Amino acid sequence: MKAHIKPKPTVFMIFGGTGDLAERKLIPALYNLFLAEYMPKEFKIVGLGRTAYQDDSFREVLLEGVNKHSRSGKAEKDKWAEFAEHISYLKADVHNEKDYEKMEKIIETCDASWSEPSVIIHYLAVTPQFFPIIAKNLAKMKLANDINRTRIVVEKPFGHDLESAKELNHLLKNIFHESQIYRIDHYLGKETVQNMLAFRFANALFEPIWNRNYIEHVQISVTEDIGVEDRGGYYNTSGALRDMVQNHILQVLCLVAMEPPVNFDAEEIRNRKVDVLRAMRKFGSEEIRHNTVRGQYSEGWVEGEKVVGYREEKDVDPDSNTETFAALKFFIDNWRWQNVPFYVRTGKRIHQKSSIISIQFKDVPHLIFPSKSTESWQQNRLIISIQPEMSIRLQVQAKRPGLDMILNPVDMVFNYDGTYSTDTPEAYETLLLDAMKGDQTLFMRGDQVETAWELLMPVLESWESKKSISFPNYSADSWGPETAEALIAKDGFHWFTLPIKKSEKEKK
Ligand code: NAD
């Protein structure tokens, strides 16, 4: 997020260079950074994988990926040729030390011909089981020891529970300094999520009312319309709490709830975020019973097509106890947020794909209007929508035009599409550029990850030890289990949704 700094010459070592993430996200992101002239003049991308490729055949595969997945559409022939010159392939096995020697040679060759020593980014786009062996081998082969030059980007999931996250942190911190470790949560690279910081701390308007005196409750809802697709094997060992709440949702919650930082330094912002996690109320058995809900989808119909239930998905245990939906009520025990509920929910096969933060303000202290005027009364709400649309809406009451004093809610809308003509960068573009520049603001620090795990462990343990007798308990294309409605309805609220625009529905 540091503005106006051009990255130094950089070597990207992408472990898992032939994988899905590299093809769909990483290479298109680097290509778009190149098109926008954010890449340094001197850079090299080395894809590492077990498949046998020549540089050219590897580049062909990546080009197909860019043509399919890049936000800038199909690559222009000349531009791609210019970019592709920087890409090479190394057939390598993460266990084989000799392959790390080859990496060293590549770095030496770059350094010998470039204007200054390069930054080296080891990007771990492989399954987490390989994180430790790669880190150990990088250390052994002295590819990790220059604190100023070497960085390691670690993909999610970071640990499977508190213990494994601690173990991984311990191992990485024995090899790397914290300033070299970039734990990625791509949600933090999303434009609207970053805008939370601008919105809250660049406007005088919101801070005075951003507290328990004015805010009644907060909702964070991240729903997907798809099922587990071909990730059933992985998902069955994970579940909604691990896959979405422990990382993305808690990170977003921290941005909503954090105290104002004194400056824009990465450490300062990350300190304020971890303060929120530390202040979150712990879950005892009572809280788990009253403030958490889990769900699992059954078969159903989506847009006229029959879809299978979770337990019938490929590679999923037919008796699975894994949750595909989670809803929780959190409290933050500090002065700002005492007794303000934060409701979060996430799920698969939900009616609408959406990511929405809704901040509901308290009602006016005294209503002067007659009841006839206020039939569609709605308390003020601030809605930050990440998808389906990228927008920030302030819902206020206004007088409907006419001879009678009739009030109705209207939206003051900041819509990205209508306001800016430039395309919004993908989250991975922001994050890869930040990693090149050495800016860790949008990456998770070791203690943040552990504190988030610590908070959720009692819920995870309780859900794992007590098999749900109601699973499956919501049908595909619904809004999740009824108990999730009850979780919020018993406090007098309801989950907020943005209506799907026709064009959005047609796009699906
Ligand atoms: P993938 O299975 O498509 O790719 C795995 C890669 O690892 C391949 O390039 C393969 O060649 C390589 N590999 C496997 N064994 C190896 C070995 N012994 N030595 C060297 N290379 C080896 O996986 P993916 O979907 O690209 O995911 C990679 C990581 O990124 C995972 O941690 C995943 O959770 C994370 N992630 C992926 C996505 C996504 O959209 N695919 C999104 C977020 C996070």
Side-chain angles (χ1 to χ4, degrees), residues 14-25 48-51 89 92-95 123-131 134 154-157 184 186 231 234 248 428:
I14 304 184
F15 292 87
T18 56
D20 178 67
L21 183 70
E23 183 201 313
R24 284 193 313 115
K25 296 286 178 190
L48 299 111
R50 285 176 311 169
T51 322
Y89 184 73
D93 188 310
V94 296
H95 302 95
Y123 198 113
L124 309 196
V126 287
T127 52
Q129 77 195 77
F130 294 134
F131 295 169
I134 296 174
V154 188
E155 261 297 338
K156 80 167 226 191
I184 208 158
H186 75 275
R231 291 171 71 226
Y234 159 74
H248 310 321
Y428 273 98

mmCIF file of all heavy atoms in Angstrom, residues 14-25 48-51 89 92-95 123-131 134 154-157 184 186 231 234 248 428, ligand 1:
data_model
loop_
_atom_site.group_PDB
_atom_site.id
_atom_site.type_symbol
_atom_site.label_atom_id
_atom_site.label_comp_id
_atom_site.label_asym_id
_atom_site.label_seq_id
_atom_site.Cartn_x
_atom_site.Cartn_y
_atom_site.Cartn_z
ATOM 1 N N ILE A 14 8.290 -19.249 -7.792
ATOM 2 C CA ILE A 14 6.935 -19.719 -7.469
ATOM 3 C C ILE A 14 6.932 -21.238 -7.318
ATOM 4 O O ILE A 14 6.957 -21.980 -8.308
ATOM 5 C CB ILE A 14 5.909 -19.279 -8.536
ATOM 6 C CG1 ILE A 14 5.945 -17.753 -8.713
ATOM 7 C CG2 ILE A 14 4.508 -19.749 -8.144
ATOM 8 C CD1 ILE A 14 4.924 -17.196 -9.672
ATOM 9 N N PHE A 15 6.971 -21.699 -6.068
ATOM 10 C CA PHE A 15 6.816 -23.131 -5.803
ATOM 11 C C PHE A 15 5.357 -23.462 -6.094
ATOM 12 O O PHE A 15 4.455 -22.841 -5.531
ATOM 13 C CB PHE A 15 7.135 -23.449 -4.334
ATOM 14 C CG PHE A 15 8.585 -23.271 -3.986
ATOM 15 C CD1 PHE A 15 9.082 -22.033 -3.595
ATOM 16 C CD2 PHE A 15 9.464 -24.343 -4.057
ATOM 17 C CE1 PHE A 15 10.418 -21.870 -3.281
ATOM 18 C CE2 PHE A 15 10.797 -24.197 -3.737
ATOM 19 C CZ PHE A 15 11.281 -22.949 -3.361
ATOM 20 N N GLY A 16 5.125 -24.448 -6.956
ATOM 21 C CA GLY A 16 3.742 -24.704 -7.384
ATOM 22 C C GLY A 16 3.421 -23.867 -8.612
ATOM 23 O O GLY A 16 2.282 -23.456 -8.813
ATOM 24 N N GLY A 17 4.438 -23.623 -9.429
ATOM 25 C CA GLY A 17 4.282 -22.778 -10.630
ATOM 26 C C GLY A 17 3.348 -23.373 -11.671
ATOM 27 O O GLY A 17 2.836 -22.658 -12.529
ATOM 28 N N THR A 18 3.107 -24.687 -11.577
ATOM 29 C CA THR A 18 2.207 -25.327 -12.546
ATOM 30 C C THR A 18 0.818 -25.518 -11.951
ATOM 31 O O THR A 18 -0.038 -26.148 -12.568
ATOM 32 C CB THR A 18 2.751 -26.716 -12.953
ATOM 33 O OG1 THR A 18 2.922 -27.491 -11.753
ATOM 34 C CG2 THR A 18 4.060 -26.609 -13.687
ATOM 35 N N GLY A 19 0.588 -24.999 -10.774
ATOM 36 C CA GLY A 19 -0.682 -25.243 -10.074
ATOM 37 C C GLY A 19 -1.773 -24.259 -10.470
ATOM 38 O O GLY A 19 -1.564 -23.309 -11.234
ATOM 39 N N ASP A 20 -2.931 -24.512 -9.895
ATOM 40 C CA ASP A 20 -4.127 -23.731 -10.195
ATOM 41 C C ASP A 20 -3.975 -22.260 -9.772
ATOM 42 O O ASP A 20 -4.344 -21.340 -10.508
ATOM 43 C CB ASP A 20 -5.290 -24.400 -9.432
ATOM 44 C CG ASP A 20 -6.589 -23.674 -9.620
ATOM 45 O OD1 ASP A 20 -7.091 -23.687 -10.747
ATOM 46 O OD2 ASP A 20 -7.092 -23.081 -8.641
ATOM 47 N N LEU A 21 -3.424 -22.047 -8.591
ATOM 48 C CA LEU A 21 -3.299 -20.679 -8.087
ATOM 49 C C LEU A 21 -2.393 -19.846 -8.998
ATOM 50 O O LEU A 21 -2.709 -18.702 -9.337
ATOM 51 C CB LEU A 21 -2.729 -20.690 -6.658
ATOM 52 C CG LEU A 21 -2.613 -19.322 -6.009
ATOM 53 C CD1 LEU A 21 -3.978 -18.755 -5.675
ATOM 54 C CD2 LEU A 21 -1.766 -19.379 -4.738
ATOM 55 N N ALA A 22 -1.267 -20.448 -9.393
ATOM 56 C CA ALA A 22 -0.333 -19.730 -10.267
ATOM 57 C C ALA A 22 -1.012 -19.385 -11.590
ATOM 58 O O ALA A 22 -0.915 -18.252 -12.077
ATOM 59 C CB ALA A 22 0.910 -20.589 -10.508
ATOM 60 N N GLU A 23 -1.721 -20.360 -12.135
ATOM 61 C CA GLU A 23 -2.341 -20.137 -13.449
ATOM 62 C C GLU A 23 -3.473 -19.108 -13.390
ATOM 63 O O GLU A 23 -3.573 -18.225 -14.242
ATOM 64 C CB GLU A 23 -2.873 -21.480 -13.970
ATOM 65 C CG GLU A 23 -3.470 -21.358 -15.361
ATOM 66 C CD GLU A 23 -4.424 -22.491 -15.699
ATOM 67 O OE1 GLU A 23 -4.066 -23.646 -15.467
ATOM 68 O OE2 GLU A 23 -5.519 -22.192 -16.195
ATOM 69 N N ARG A 24 -4.321 -19.220 -12.370
ATOM 70 C CA ARG A 24 -5.517 -18.372 -12.346
ATOM 71 C C ARG A 24 -5.285 -17.012 -11.734
ATOM 72 O O ARG A 24 -5.943 -16.033 -12.082
ATOM 73 C CB ARG A 24 -6.641 -19.066 -11.585
ATOM 74 C CG ARG A 24 -7.301 -20.177 -12.374
ATOM 75 C CD ARG A 24 -8.597 -20.646 -11.751
ATOM 76 N NE ARG A 24 -8.494 -20.872 -10.323
ATOM 77 C CZ ARG A 24 -9.148 -20.166 -9.412
ATOM 78 N NH1 ARG A 24 -9.949 -19.198 -9.764
ATOM 79 N NH2 ARG A 24 -8.996 -20.438 -8.133
ATOM 80 N N LYS A 25 -4.351 -16.934 -10.774
ATOM 81 C CA LYS A 25 -4.224 -15.683 -10.020
ATOM 82 C C LYS A 25 -2.849 -15.029 -10.142
ATOM 83 O O LYS A 25 -2.742 -13.844 -10.415
ATOM 84 C CB LYS A 25 -4.521 -15.944 -8.525
ATOM 85 C CG LYS A 25 -5.931 -16.397 -8.251
ATOM 86 C CD LYS A 25 -6.905 -15.242 -8.391
ATOM 87 C CE LYS A 25 -8.330 -15.665 -8.163
ATOM 88 N NZ LYS A 25 -9.288 -14.631 -8.529
ATOM 89 N N LEU A 48 8.276 -23.277 -10.484
ATOM 90 C CA LEU A 48 8.838 -24.573 -10.078
ATOM 91 C C LEU A 48 7.715 -25.589 -9.964
ATOM 92 O O LEU A 48 6.659 -25.286 -9.409
ATOM 93 C CB LEU A 48 9.534 -24.452 -8.725
ATOM 94 C CG LEU A 48 10.703 -23.492 -8.662
ATOM 95 C CD1 LEU A 48 10.367 -22.291 -7.808
ATOM 96 C CD2 LEU A 48 11.919 -24.176 -8.120
ATOM 97 N N GLY A 49 7.929 -26.760 -10.499
ATOM 98 C CA GLY A 49 6.902 -27.804 -10.411
ATOM 99 C C GLY A 49 7.513 -29.134 -10.813
ATOM 100 O O GLY A 49 8.678 -29.205 -11.232
ATOM 101 N N ARG A 50 6.697 -30.188 -10.695
ATOM 102 C CA ARG A 50 7.256 -31.508 -10.987
ATOM 103 C C ARG A 50 7.074 -31.933 -12.443
ATOM 104 O O ARG A 50 7.753 -32.818 -12.918
ATOM 105 C CB ARG A 50 6.608 -32.548 -10.069
ATOM 106 C CG ARG A 50 7.145 -32.459 -8.651
ATOM 107 C CD ARG A 50 6.410 -33.416 -7.770
ATOM 108 N NE ARG A 50 4.963 -33.246 -7.970
ATOM 109 C CZ ARG A 50 4.051 -34.063 -7.499
ATOM 110 N NH1 ARG A 50 4.425 -35.121 -6.814
ATOM 111 N NH2 ARG A 50 2.764 -33.850 -7.696
ATOM 112 N N THR A 51 6.143 -31.286 -13.127
ATOM 113 C CA THR A 51 5.895 -31.633 -14.535
ATOM 114 C C THR A 51 7.103 -31.216 -15.376
ATOM 115 O O THR A 51 7.761 -30.220 -15.062
ATOM 116 C CB THR A 51 4.651 -30.856 -15.041
ATOM 117 O OG1 THR A 51 3.705 -30.817 -14.000
ATOM 118 C CG2 THR A 51 4.059 -31.472 -16.292
ATOM 119 N N TYR A 89 11.222 -21.842 -16.442
ATOM 120 C CA TYR A 89 10.680 -22.980 -15.700
ATOM 121 C C TYR A 89 11.810 -23.823 -15.131
ATOM 122 O O TYR A 89 12.849 -24.002 -15.777
ATOM 123 C CB TYR A 89 9.813 -23.841 -16.630
ATOM 124 C CG TYR A 89 9.158 -24.981 -15.890
ATOM 125 C CD1 TYR A 89 8.104 -24.739 -15.013
ATOM 126 C CD2 TYR A 89 9.600 -26.293 -16.043
ATOM 127 C CE1 TYR A 89 7.513 -25.780 -14.297
ATOM 128 C CE2 TYR A 89 9.009 -27.336 -15.331
ATOM 129 C CZ TYR A 89 7.972 -27.071 -14.467
ATOM 130 O OH TYR A 89 7.396 -28.095 -13.753
ATOM 131 N N ALA A 92 11.421 -29.175 -10.557
ATOM 132 C CA ALA A 92 12.043 -29.317 -9.234
ATOM 133 C C ALA A 92 11.127 -30.066 -8.289
ATOM 134 O O ALA A 92 9.904 -29.986 -8.398
ATOM 135 C CB ALA A 92 12.317 -27.921 -8.666
ATOM 136 N N ASP A 93 11.756 -30.792 -7.385
ATOM 137 C CA ASP A 93 10.995 -31.431 -6.317
ATOM 138 C C ASP A 93 11.385 -30.734 -5.021
ATOM 139 O O ASP A 93 12.576 -30.527 -4.763
ATOM 140 C CB ASP A 93 11.347 -32.925 -6.244
ATOM 141 C CG ASP A 93 10.428 -33.658 -5.283
ATOM 142 O OD1 ASP A 93 10.257 -33.187 -4.141
ATOM 143 O OD2 ASP A 93 9.858 -34.681 -5.691
ATOM 144 N N VAL A 94 10.378 -30.377 -4.238
ATOM 145 C CA VAL A 94 10.673 -29.596 -3.027
ATOM 146 C C VAL A 94 11.612 -30.325 -2.064
ATOM 147 O O VAL A 94 12.263 -29.697 -1.230
ATOM 148 C CB VAL A 94 9.381 -29.196 -2.275
ATOM 149 C CG1 VAL A 94 8.531 -28.278 -3.103
ATOM 150 C CG2 VAL A 94 8.592 -30.413 -1.832
ATOM 151 N N HIS A 95 11.684 -31.664 -2.197
ATOM 152 C CA HIS A 95 12.537 -32.431 -1.279
ATOM 153 C C HIS A 95 13.987 -32.493 -1.735
ATOM 154 O O HIS A 95 14.872 -32.864 -0.966
ATOM 155 C CB HIS A 95 12.016 -33.872 -1.150
ATOM 156 C CG HIS A 95 10.603 -33.931 -0.659
ATOM 157 N ND1 HIS A 95 9.532 -34.024 -1.509
ATOM 158 C CD2 HIS A 95 10.108 -33.872 0.601
ATOM 159 C CE1 HIS A 95 8.410 -34.027 -0.796
ATOM 160 N NE2 HIS A 95 8.733 -33.938 0.488
ATOM 161 N N TYR A 123 7.599 -17.841 -3.240
ATOM 162 C CA TYR A 123 6.141 -17.879 -3.089
ATOM 163 C C TYR A 123 5.688 -19.337 -2.947
ATOM 164 O O TYR A 123 5.850 -20.133 -3.874
ATOM 165 C CB TYR A 123 5.473 -17.240 -4.317
ATOM 166 C CG TYR A 123 4.042 -16.845 -4.052
ATOM 167 C CD1 TYR A 123 3.663 -15.517 -4.030
ATOM 168 C CD2 TYR A 123 3.071 -17.802 -3.774
ATOM 169 C CE1 TYR A 123 2.348 -15.158 -3.762
ATOM 170 C CE2 TYR A 123 1.761 -17.453 -3.497
ATOM 171 C CZ TYR A 123 1.406 -16.125 -3.498
ATOM 172 O OH TYR A 123 0.111 -15.772 -3.221
ATOM 173 N N LEU A 124 5.117 -19.673 -1.805
ATOM 174 C CA LEU A 124 4.735 -21.068 -1.564
ATOM 175 C C LEU A 124 3.294 -21.325 -2.020
ATOM 176 O O LEU A 124 2.354 -21.295 -1.226
ATOM 177 C CB LEU A 124 4.895 -21.434 -0.088
ATOM 178 C CG LEU A 124 6.240 -21.128 0.582
ATOM 179 C CD1 LEU A 124 6.370 -21.897 1.888
ATOM 180 C CD2 LEU A 124 7.418 -21.450 -0.308
ATOM 181 N N ALA A 125 3.138 -21.557 -3.327
ATOM 182 C CA ALA A 125 1.806 -21.867 -3.879
ATOM 183 C C ALA A 125 1.661 -23.389 -3.989
ATOM 184 O O ALA A 125 1.373 -23.922 -5.061
ATOM 185 C CB ALA A 125 1.625 -21.196 -5.226
ATOM 186 N N VAL A 126 1.926 -24.045 -2.893
ATOM 187 C CA VAL A 126 1.828 -25.515 -2.829
ATOM 188 C C VAL A 126 0.970 -25.875 -1.616
ATOM 189 O O VAL A 126 0.681 -25.009 -0.786
ATOM 190 C CB VAL A 126 3.228 -26.170 -2.653
ATOM 191 C CG1 VAL A 126 4.038 -26.098 -3.920
ATOM 192 C CG2 VAL A 126 3.973 -25.545 -1.485
ATOM 193 N N THR A 127 0.599 -27.150 -1.504
ATOM 194 C CA THR A 127 -0.213 -27.513 -0.338
ATOM 195 C C THR A 127 0.619 -27.332 0.942
ATOM 196 O O THR A 127 1.844 -27.500 0.932
ATOM 197 C CB THR A 127 -0.712 -28.971 -0.421
ATOM 198 O OG1 THR A 127 0.416 -29.801 -0.662
ATOM 199 C CG2 THR A 127 -1.711 -29.150 -1.532
ATOM 200 N N PRO A 128 -0.066 -27.000 2.057
ATOM 201 C CA PRO A 128 0.647 -26.644 3.293
ATOM 202 C C PRO A 128 1.593 -27.715 3.805
ATOM 203 O O PRO A 128 2.539 -27.407 4.523
ATOM 204 C CB PRO A 128 -0.481 -26.420 4.296
ATOM 205 C CG PRO A 128 -1.682 -26.176 3.485
ATOM 206 C CD PRO A 128 -1.520 -26.855 2.181
ATOM 207 N N GLN A 129 1.354 -28.991 3.425
ATOM 208 C CA GLN A 129 2.264 -30.034 3.925
ATOM 209 C C GLN A 129 3.700 -29.777 3.483
ATOM 210 O O GLN A 129 4.652 -30.235 4.109
ATOM 211 C CB GLN A 129 1.798 -31.420 3.453
ATOM 212 C CG GLN A 129 2.138 -31.691 1.993
ATOM 213 C CD GLN A 129 1.390 -32.854 1.406
ATOM 214 O OE1 GLN A 129 0.205 -32.747 1.074
ATOM 215 N NE2 GLN A 129 2.064 -33.975 1.273
ATOM 216 N N PHE A 130 3.870 -29.000 2.379
ATOM 217 C CA PHE A 130 5.226 -28.734 1.878
ATOM 218 C C PHE A 130 5.873 -27.465 2.462
ATOM 219 O O PHE A 130 7.033 -27.201 2.212
ATOM 220 C CB PHE A 130 5.215 -28.611 0.352
ATOM 221 C CG PHE A 130 4.860 -29.883 -0.362
ATOM 222 C CD1 PHE A 130 3.951 -29.876 -1.406
ATOM 223 C CD2 PHE A 130 5.434 -31.090 0.011
ATOM 224 C CE1 PHE A 130 3.611 -31.054 -2.060
ATOM 225 C CE2 PHE A 130 5.104 -32.277 -0.641
ATOM 226 C CZ PHE A 130 4.189 -32.257 -1.677
ATOM 227 N N PHE A 131 5.094 -26.666 3.192
ATOM 228 C CA PHE A 131 5.667 -25.414 3.728
ATOM 229 C C PHE A 131 6.937 -25.696 4.555
ATOM 230 O O PHE A 131 7.977 -25.062 4.332
ATOM 231 C CB PHE A 131 4.648 -24.636 4.583
ATOM 232 C CG PHE A 131 3.430 -24.110 3.850
ATOM 233 C CD1 PHE A 131 2.345 -23.592 4.559
ATOM 234 C CD2 PHE A 131 3.350 -24.117 2.459
ATOM 235 C CE1 PHE A 131 1.221 -23.099 3.906
ATOM 236 C CE2 PHE A 131 2.225 -23.629 1.791
ATOM 237 C CZ PHE A 131 1.156 -23.131 2.521
ATOM 238 N N ILE A 134 10.077 -26.904 2.442
ATOM 239 C CA ILE A 134 10.633 -25.836 1.587
ATOM 240 C C ILE A 134 11.414 -24.844 2.458
ATOM 241 O O ILE A 134 12.548 -24.481 2.133
ATOM 242 C CB ILE A 134 9.519 -25.114 0.796
ATOM 243 C CG1 ILE A 134 8.848 -26.081 -0.183
ATOM 244 C CG2 ILE A 134 10.076 -23.908 0.039
ATOM 245 C CD1 ILE A 134 7.646 -25.517 -0.926
ATOM 246 N N VAL A 154 3.552 -17.055 2.228
ATOM 247 C CA VAL A 154 2.928 -18.317 2.617
ATOM 248 C C VAL A 154 1.428 -18.225 2.347
ATOM 249 O O VAL A 154 0.747 -17.326 2.845
ATOM 250 C CB VAL A 154 3.177 -18.622 4.114
ATOM 251 C CG1 VAL A 154 2.701 -20.017 4.461
ATOM 252 C CG2 VAL A 154 4.649 -18.464 4.453
ATOM 253 N N GLU A 155 0.938 -19.159 1.544
ATOM 254 C CA GLU A 155 -0.488 -19.164 1.189
ATOM 255 C C GLU A 155 -1.318 -19.698 2.351
ATOM 256 O O GLU A 155 -0.804 -20.295 3.285
ATOM 257 C CB GLU A 155 -0.701 -20.044 -0.054
ATOM 258 C CG GLU A 155 -0.798 -19.270 -1.355
ATOM 259 C CD GLU A 155 -2.001 -18.311 -1.413
ATOM 260 O OE1 GLU A 155 -2.969 -18.517 -0.683
ATOM 261 O OE2 GLU A 155 -1.939 -17.352 -2.197
ATOM 262 N N LYS A 156 -2.600 -19.503 2.233
ATOM 263 C CA LYS A 156 -3.502 -20.086 3.225
ATOM 264 C C LYS A 156 -3.724 -21.564 2.893
ATOM 265 O O LYS A 156 -3.563 -21.922 1.724
ATOM 266 C CB LYS A 156 -4.803 -19.308 3.277
ATOM 267 C CG LYS A 156 -5.809 -19.660 2.164
ATOM 268 C CD LYS A 156 -7.164 -19.093 2.450
ATOM 269 C CE LYS A 156 -8.212 -20.129 2.197
ATOM 270 N NZ LYS A 156 -9.570 -19.691 2.195
ATOM 271 N N PRO A 157 -4.079 -22.433 3.780
ATOM 272 C CA PRO A 157 -4.356 -22.154 5.185
ATOM 273 C C PRO A 157 -3.069 -22.122 6.015
ATOM 274 O O PRO A 157 -2.174 -22.928 5.781
ATOM 275 C CB PRO A 157 -5.225 -23.339 5.593
ATOM 276 C CG PRO A 157 -4.787 -24.462 4.706
ATOM 277 C CD PRO A 157 -4.364 -23.841 3.422
ATOM 278 N N ILE A 184 -0.302 -14.639 3.516
ATOM 279 C CA ILE A 184 -1.253 -13.958 2.628
ATOM 280 C C ILE A 184 -2.691 -14.265 3.036
ATOM 281 O O ILE A 184 -3.024 -15.376 3.413
ATOM 282 C CB ILE A 184 -0.983 -14.372 1.158
ATOM 283 C CG1 ILE A 184 -1.393 -13.267 0.188
ATOM 284 C CG2 ILE A 184 -1.662 -15.675 0.782
ATOM 285 C CD1 ILE A 184 -0.692 -13.365 -1.154
ATOM 286 N N HIS A 186 -5.871 -13.137 0.862
ATOM 287 C CA HIS A 186 -6.148 -12.313 -0.319
ATOM 288 C C HIS A 186 -7.317 -11.353 -0.096
ATOM 289 O O HIS A 186 -7.424 -10.337 -0.774
ATOM 290 C CB HIS A 186 -6.391 -13.191 -1.559
ATOM 291 C CG HIS A 186 -7.715 -13.864 -1.573
ATOM 292 N ND1 HIS A 186 -7.945 -15.048 -0.938
ATOM 293 C CD2 HIS A 186 -8.894 -13.508 -2.132
ATOM 294 C CE1 HIS A 186 -9.205 -15.390 -1.105
ATOM 295 N NE2 HIS A 186 -9.807 -14.477 -1.827
ATOM 296 N N ARG A 231 -13.013 -29.468 -4.563
ATOM 297 C CA ARG A 231 -12.170 -29.353 -3.367
ATOM 298 C C ARG A 231 -12.740 -30.137 -2.186
ATOM 299 O O ARG A 231 -12.411 -29.868 -1.035
ATOM 300 C CB ARG A 231 -12.023 -27.883 -2.974
ATOM 301 C CG ARG A 231 -11.191 -27.057 -3.947
ATOM 302 C CD ARG A 231 -11.287 -25.581 -3.610
ATOM 303 N NE ARG A 231 -10.585 -25.234 -2.392
ATOM 304 C CZ ARG A 231 -11.100 -24.456 -1.425
ATOM 305 N NH1 ARG A 231 -12.303 -23.976 -1.530
ATOM 306 N NH2 ARG A 231 -10.388 -24.166 -0.351
ATOM 307 N N TYR A 234 -10.211 -31.642 0.420
ATOM 308 C CA TYR A 234 -9.623 -30.625 1.306
ATOM 309 C C TYR A 234 -10.683 -30.067 2.254
ATOM 310 O O TYR A 234 -10.486 -29.992 3.466
ATOM 311 C CB TYR A 234 -8.997 -29.488 0.471
ATOM 312 C CG TYR A 234 -8.848 -28.208 1.253
ATOM 313 C CD1 TYR A 234 -7.864 -28.088 2.229
ATOM 314 C CD2 TYR A 234 -9.724 -27.127 1.054
ATOM 315 C CE1 TYR A 234 -7.750 -26.928 2.988
ATOM 316 C CE2 TYR A 234 -9.611 -25.976 1.807
ATOM 317 C CZ TYR A 234 -8.630 -25.874 2.756
ATOM 318 O OH TYR A 234 -8.524 -24.741 3.510
ATOM 319 N N HIS A 248 -10.335 -14.676 6.694
ATOM 320 C CA HIS A 248 -10.929 -13.516 6.013
ATOM 321 C C HIS A 248 -11.872 -12.703 6.901
ATOM 322 O O HIS A 248 -11.750 -11.489 7.005
ATOM 323 C CB HIS A 248 -11.734 -13.963 4.788
ATOM 324 C CG HIS A 248 -11.003 -14.886 3.872
ATOM 325 N ND1 HIS A 248 -9.662 -14.728 3.580
ATOM 326 C CD2 HIS A 248 -11.419 -15.958 3.173
ATOM 327 C CE1 HIS A 248 -9.304 -15.681 2.745
ATOM 328 N NE2 HIS A 248 -10.341 -16.439 2.489
ATOM 329 N N TYR A 428 -4.712 -9.950 -5.738
ATOM 330 C CA TYR A 428 -3.352 -10.490 -5.845
ATOM 331 C C TYR A 428 -2.377 -9.489 -6.453
ATOM 332 O O TYR A 428 -1.186 -9.533 -6.162
ATOM 333 C CB TYR A 428 -3.347 -11.813 -6.629
ATOM 334 C CG TYR A 428 -3.602 -13.007 -5.730
ATOM 335 C CD1 TYR A 428 -4.865 -13.555 -5.622
ATOM 336 C CD2 TYR A 428 -2.590 -13.560 -4.962
ATOM 337 C CE1 TYR A 428 -5.107 -14.643 -4.785
ATOM 338 C CE2 TYR A 428 -2.821 -14.638 -4.117
ATOM 339 C CZ TYR A 428 -4.079 -15.177 -4.030
ATOM 340 O OH TYR A 428 -4.302 -16.237 -3.183
HETATM 341 P P1 NAD B 1 -2.492 -27.300 -7.055
HETATM 342 O O1 NAD B 1 -2.695 -28.691 -6.563
HETATM 343 O O2 NAD B 1 -3.216 -26.869 -8.277
HETATM 344 O O3 NAD B 1 -0.945 -27.085 -7.345
HETATM 345 C C1 NAD B 1 0.054 -27.642 -6.550
HETATM 346 C C2 NAD B 1 1.407 -27.355 -7.127
HETATM 347 O O4 NAD B 1 2.377 -27.978 -6.271
HETATM 348 C C3 NAD B 1 1.668 -27.905 -8.532
HETATM 349 O O5 NAD B 1 2.392 -26.940 -9.258
HETATM 350 C C4 NAD B 1 2.580 -29.122 -8.290
HETATM 351 O O6 NAD B 1 3.484 -29.382 -9.350
HETATM 352 C C5 NAD B 1 3.341 -28.655 -7.076
HETATM 353 N N1 NAD B 1 3.896 -29.777 -6.319
HETATM 354 C C6 NAD B 1 3.253 -30.819 -5.744
HETATM 355 N N2 NAD B 1 4.150 -31.650 -5.179
HETATM 356 C C7 NAD B 1 5.378 -31.104 -5.385
HETATM 357 C C8 NAD B 1 6.698 -31.500 -5.071
HETATM 358 N N3 NAD B 1 6.962 -32.614 -4.371
HETATM 359 N N4 NAD B 1 7.714 -30.706 -5.459
HETATM 360 C C9 NAD B 1 7.481 -29.582 -6.163
HETATM 361 N N5 NAD B 1 6.248 -29.144 -6.489
HETATM 362 C C10 NAD B 1 5.221 -29.918 -6.120
HETATM 363 O O7 NAD B 1 -2.791 -26.333 -5.806
HETATM 364 P P2 NAD B 1 -3.295 -24.818 -5.842
HETATM 365 O O8 NAD B 1 -4.779 -24.817 -5.973
HETATM 366 O O9 NAD B 1 -2.495 -24.048 -6.818
HETATM 367 O O10 NAD B 1 -3.011 -24.345 -4.343
HETATM 368 C C11 NAD B 1 -1.703 -24.087 -3.868
HETATM 369 C C12 NAD B 1 -1.784 -23.395 -2.517
HETATM 370 O O11 NAD B 1 -2.489 -22.166 -2.652
HETATM 371 C C13 NAD B 1 -2.545 -24.178 -1.442
HETATM 372 O O12 NAD B 1 -1.957 -23.924 -0.190
HETATM 373 C C14 NAD B 1 -3.942 -23.587 -1.494
HETATM 374 O O13 NAD B 1 -4.641 -23.724 -0.265
HETATM 375 C C15 NAD B 1 -3.598 -22.131 -1.768
HETATM 376 N N6 NAD B 1 -4.695 -21.378 -2.383
HETATM 377 C C16 NAD B 1 -5.152 -21.717 -3.615
HETATM 378 C C17 NAD B 1 -6.171 -20.980 -4.193
HETATM 379 C C18 NAD B 1 -6.684 -21.299 -5.576
HETATM 380 O O14 NAD B 1 -7.529 -20.531 -6.060
HETATM 381 N N7 NAD B 1 -6.223 -22.348 -6.230
HETATM 382 C C19 NAD B 1 -6.732 -19.885 -3.503
HETATM 383 C C20 NAD B 1 -6.222 -19.564 -2.248
HETATM 384 C C21 NAD B 1 -5.204 -20.311 -1.711
#
